[in-house]
Amino acid sequence: MLVKVFGAAVQGIDATIVTIEVNSSRGIKFFLVGLPDSAVKESHERIISALQVNGYRFPSRQIVVNMAPADIRKEGSSYDLPLAIGILASAEVVKTDKLNNYLIIGELSLDGSLQPIKGALPIAISARAQGFKGFILPKQNAKEAAVVNNLQVYGVENIKEVIEFFNGERELETTIVHTREEFFQHQDNFSYDFADVKGQESVKRALEVAAAGGHNLIMIGSPGSGKSMMAKRLPSILPPLTLAESLETTKIHSVAGKLNKNDSLIATRPFRSPHHTISQVAMVGGGSNPQPGEISLAHNGLLFLDELPEFSRSVLEVLRQPLEDRHISISRAKYSLDYPSSFMLVASMNPCPCGYYTHPTKPCVCNPGQVHRYLNRISGPLLDRIDIQIEIVPVPFEKMAEQKAGENSATIRERVVKARKIQEERFTNHPGIHCNAQMESKLIQLYAAPDKQGLLLLRNAMTRLNLSARAYDRILKVARTIADLEGSEAIRPHHLAEAIGYRNLDRDNWGG
């Protein structure tokens, strides 16, 4: 008897429906075709054990399984459940009248219980798009998939529940998630607040400007000056995610298997902080079993690189193209994938190997050559792509001992959101542009052109600091954001002066 069961394969951050055709006939052999990998081939033993433990027998017949389309490689153990149901249906143990209405996915344990899978959300989106009535998957992933409306999502714990459901012996409970309610309920859950930061008003201002315009930022300062502390608080002042951004971000984390079992949607902007020993593949994505990299996991959020010069130079250089294009295309011999990577880069570094080159009290023990070589670990093209370069000095004891709390994140966030709304209205007729940091040269000329006085100021700064054309564009973008925070339509000289002040590493006295 020939039956068809439906599963799915995840490619990039999207899913493709896989039709599992099972034909049973006289004989004793088992054939599995359709480009399965080793994990899919091993499902045979897991299915036999799961059926035996739950009181069912693996059919004593010749079984041929084809997984179509056959030109897509089927990877992972999430095909166990649809394969088992298809095999039982071909042996007439499971009724086939409802099989065409449901997409089935899940990994089996030897006792028949189901293990969580990766990519439940994109699979659910694909199931709805293909017109399936329902989606049966492990209970641990049910909330994640139930975000998709107009699709009945059934979370199950054991293969026996699925068999009895198709045989009409059991009713499965639909998982319901109130998407908007849960999303807005968790939007303001932050562990860190800027009210805890003592002093550092100029740095907080720079972080506010960066958040308001979506600008990349680097902080340079001696150990203990508060670089990491403030970077961790930056998500608390970023504009809240929209529902569309949340869905896109959740899809990426779902494919990577990074979602908690109780999460349905990611409601706050991601904050990723990889260690400096990270490899190129882990940073951009790919690998033998393709996965999103850190730059994609930071999509719509923050990528924080602490101790930037300690990262491998090759790892830092692969960031250059994603920072400009806001997506990463990974091409290998066997596959080609495209992952989104629209993130804010926030980095921190010491000014020299010993860390005290700019310290107000502690002497630096490095010679000028060491400082210069240390700074040269970061290439000029990468630094050009960082809009704001801010120097941090340690907070004096008097400031640390103050009992008065600083300005809290909620207050700063209000100003940031107000500035972002101005930018949204400005770029209404420019698809794909949402903030000042995304402006290209034409838009800079249109919306960030300085007046005559500002142009003279900018010319002097460009000549004196020997800035590149890209740095010129960065200054104008940041000046546009500063003007937006002030509610000014025109860019004034003092906006440009502040933006030029955020190019610390371009100064001649850096590195001796």
Side-chain angles (χ1 to χ4, degrees):
M1 182 179 178
L2 174 65
V3 298
K4 292 183 179 181
V5 182
F6 298 94
V10 176
Q11 293 182 300
I13 61 169
D14 297 309
T16 302
I17 301 300
V18 173
T19 303
I20 299 172
E21 303 170 322
V22 185
N23 188 30
S24 63
S25 57
R26 293 180 62 184
I28 57 172
K29 291 188 177 181
F30 179 83
F31 299 97
L32 181 59
V33 297
L35 214 58
D37 72 349
S38 298
V40 180
K41 292 175 183 176
E42 290 169 356
S43 65
H44 181 244
E45 282 69 32
R46 291 192 293 271
I47 291 169
I48 292 174
S49 176
L51 294 180
Q52 286 177 344
V53 171
N54 287 278
Y56 299 93
R57 288 185 60 192
F58 194 89
S60 300
R61 309 193 71 186
Q62 177 168 292
I63 294 173
V64 179
V65 180
N66 177 44
M67 306 178 77
D71 60 338
I72 295 176
R73 186 161 183 80
K74 319 304 183 302
E75 298 174 331
S77 53
S78 59
Y79 297 101
D80 292 357
L81 183 59
L83 284 170
I85 297 300
I87 290 167
L88 290 178
S90 71
E92 301 183 7
V93 176
V94 169
K95 294 180 181 178
T96 60
D97 54 330
K98 295 192 291 186
L99 284 180
N100 288 340
N101 297 327
Y102 295 90
L103 190 144
I104 308 168
I105 209 87
E107 176 188 338
L108 286 172
S109 295
L110 295 183
D111 62 356
S113 61
L114 292 173
Q115 299 295 325
I117 60 164
K118 294 180 179 179
L121 180 56
I123 293 173
I125 292 171
S126 184
R128 182 184 64 179
Q130 295 297 320
F132 285 96
K133 178 182 177 182
F135 181 21
I136 298 171
L137 76 167
K139 195 167 187 176
Q140 299 95 317
N141 301 107
K143 285 191 70 176
E144 174 187 340
V147 166
V148 179
N149 56 12
N150 301 323
L151 180 72
Q152 296 175 6
V153 175
Y154 301 104
V156 294
E157 296 180 338
N158 194 284
I159 188 174
K160 193 170 184 178
E161 297 176 33
V162 184
I163 295 171
E164 291 175 352
F165 170 72
F166 283 115
N167 287 336
E169 301 167 1
R170 176 194 289 263
E171 288 294 327
L172 295 179
E173 185 179 347
T174 307
T175 304
I176 297 173
V177 172
H178 300 288
T179 307
R180 293 181 180 276
E181 185 180 315
E182 288 207 10
F183 173 67
F184 291 114
Q185 186 179 351
H186 296 98
Q187 273 198 323
D188 299 316
N189 292 347
F190 298 108
S191 303
Y192 304 101
D193 195 287
F194 270 102
D196 306 326
V197 179
K198 307 289 186 182
Q200 302 291 20
E201 299 303 326
S202 62
V203 183
K204 284 195 279 189
R205 168 65 178 177
L207 292 172
E208 180 181 338
V209 172
H215 301 289
N216 301 322
L217 174 141
I218 185 170
M219 295 176 281
I220 313 104
S222 54
S225 55
K227 302 185 294 292
S228 301
M229 178 186 71
M230 282 187 279
K232 289 175 182 176
R233 284 158 174 76
L234 190 50
S236 67
I237 65 171
L238 288 174
L241 282 170
T242 64
L243 198 55
E245 287 176 331
S246 178
L247 278 168
E248 189 177 28
T249 306
T250 306
K251 276 177 68 176
I252 298 168
H253 286 250
S254 173
V255 169
K258 302 291 184 183
L259 281 181
N260 296 324
K261 65 178 182 179
N262 294 322
D263 287 344
S264 55
L265 276 176
I266 292 176
T268 57
R269 295 191 179 272
F271 179 84
R272 304 294 300 180
S273 181
H275 192 260
H276 57 74
T277 55
I278 189 172
S279 67
Q280 289 186 53
V281 172
M283 182 65 85
V284 301
S288 54
N289 295 318
Q291 291 284 310
E294 287 293 331
I295 61 172
S296 296
L297 292 170
H299 180 61
N300 290 324
L302 280 171
L303 178 68
F304 176 50
L305 302 183
D306 199 9
E307 303 299 342
L308 189 66
E310 302 303 327
F311 283 79
S312 164
R313 190 179 183 100
S314 60
V315 170
L316 295 180
E317 293 308 301
V318 298
L319 292 174
R320 285 160 56 176
Q321 181 258 336
L323 282 171
E324 290 288 322
D325 299 341
R326 299 187 179 271
H327 70 90
I328 177 76
S329 297
I330 300 167
S331 298
R332 300 290 184 268
K334 294 183 179 179
Y335 62 85
S336 180
L337 299 173
D338 192 87
Y339 289 121
S341 58
S342 179
F343 60 92
M344 261 183 72
L345 175 64
V346 179
S348 71
M349 60 178 285
N350 292 329
C352 67
C354 79
Y356 298 106
Y357 179 62
T358 57
H359 198 281
T361 56
K362 292 187 179 180
C364 173
V365 297
C366 307
N367 60 50
Q370 286 178 299
V371 178
H372 189 70
R373 284 193 298 273
Y374 186 75
L375 295 176
N376 277 348
R377 293 184 189 179
I378 307 167
S379 69
L382 180 62
L383 277 178
D384 271 352
R385 286 167 170 82
I386 298 177
D387 303 349
I388 298 176
Q389 305 162 358
I390 186 72
E391 185 179 348
I392 300 181
V393 294
V395 180
F397 176 78
E398 291 75 15
K399 281 284 185 183
M400 287 191 290
E402 280 184 1
Q403 298 298 317
K404 182 182 176 182
E407 190 176 30
N408 62 33
S409 293
T411 305
I412 302 172
R413 193 185 203 190
E414 285 179 10
R415 297 196 295 268
V416 169
V417 169
K418 189 176 178 181
R420 282 288 182 105
K421 284 182 179 177
I422 294 172
Q423 293 165 48
E424 285 176 16
E425 292 174 5
R426 176 182 298 133
F427 303 125
T428 302
N429 299 322
H430 304 282
I433 307 294
H434 307 289
C435 59
N436 291 332
Q438 296 174 328
M439 286 194 295
E440 296 177 351
S441 297
K442 287 184 179 179
L443 293 180
I444 292 172
Q445 292 174 11
L446 190 61
Y447 298 116
D451 57 19
K452 288 185 179 180
Q453 192 177 352
L455 196 61
L456 179 61
L457 175 67
L458 197 52
R459 183 185 290 113
N460 291 336
M462 292 288 294
T463 305
R464 181 180 160 202
L465 299 176
N466 195 26
L467 300 178
S468 68
R470 187 179 279 115
Y472 172 83
D473 284 349
R474 303 288 166 183
I475 290 171
L476 290 178
K477 288 181 185 180
V478 174
R480 176 69 269 169
T481 301
I482 295 168
D484 288 342
L485 282 168
E486 201 175 275
S488 172
E489 288 188 16
I491 294 179
R492 308 294 181 193
H494 67 276
H495 300 146
L496 284 166
E498 183 178 349
I500 293 167
Y502 293 142
R503 303 297 300 182
N504 286 46
L505 287 178
D506 295 324
R507 296 201 315 251
D508 294 335
N509 61 344
W510 265 96

